[in-house]
Amino acid sequence: QVHLVESGGGSVQAGGSLRLSCAASGYTARGYFWGWFRQVPGKEREGVATIAFDGNAAYAEFVKGRFTFSQDNAKNTVYLQMNSLRPEETAVYYCATGLNPLNYYSLGSYAYTNWGQGTQVTDSS
């Protein structure tokens, strides 16, 4: 059973930065792909960024150029560096992972089988 724990959320002013972390246990690095999602009350969870096990990443249009997804397989941890944050990006951010034998990634929540509990990011402007 894969267990994910996010951290790094908090309050940040518009234009500021945060780095979210997601520590994983109970999995092997090979074959797992990862995603970061966010959700605000009353809205659907939306994909923010995704990364395949070979390190190839893809981003939602609204975060391209501002967010960076990285992974450290030695530490079983993935990261989301968020720069130039906007007030409307206040949300609970979730990391997720799934297993696929192909080199695969997805911004769709349907693709993922394991989810963390979420970490809150709040605009403090």
Side-chain angles (χ1 to χ4, degrees):
Q1 180 72 25
V2 178
H3 185 58
L4 306 177
V5 179
E6 301 99 331
S7 61
S11 295
V12 60
Q13 290 190 338
S17 298
L18 281 176
R19 189 176 81 155
L20 305 182
S21 300
C22 177
S25 60
Y27 88 111
T28 58
R30 193 68 181 174
Y32 279 87
F33 60 96
W34 298 83
W36 282 99
F37 294 79
R38 65 190 185 191
Q39 189 171 25
V40 297
K43 293 189 176 181
E44 291 189 359
R45 192 168 296 187
E46 63 180 0
V48 175
T50 180
I51 195 167
F53 67 76
D54 70 349
N56 283 329
Y59 300 89
E61 282 297 324
F62 47 80
V63 302
K64 278 185 179 178
R66 299 186 297 119
F67 289 15
T68 303
F69 201 157
S70 61
Q71 58 186 10
D72 185 336
N73 289 330
K75 295 183 178 180
N76 292 347
T77 302
V78 297
Y79 305 95
L80 185 67
Q81 178 66 43
M82 306 188 295
N83 298 329
S84 302
L85 280 161
R86 301 167 178 169
E88 62 268 27
E89 293 180 312
T90 290
V92 177
Y93 284 72
Y94 298 89
C95 74
T97 190
L99 183 62
N100 194 303
L102 304 176
N103 197 17
Y104 176 85
Y105 55 38
S106 175
L107 287 172
S109 60
Y110 59 86
Y112 295 83
T113 54
N114 304 287
W115 293 83
Q117 83 290 347
T119 186
Q120 177 71 48
V121 173
T122 303
D123 171 56
S124 61
S125 301

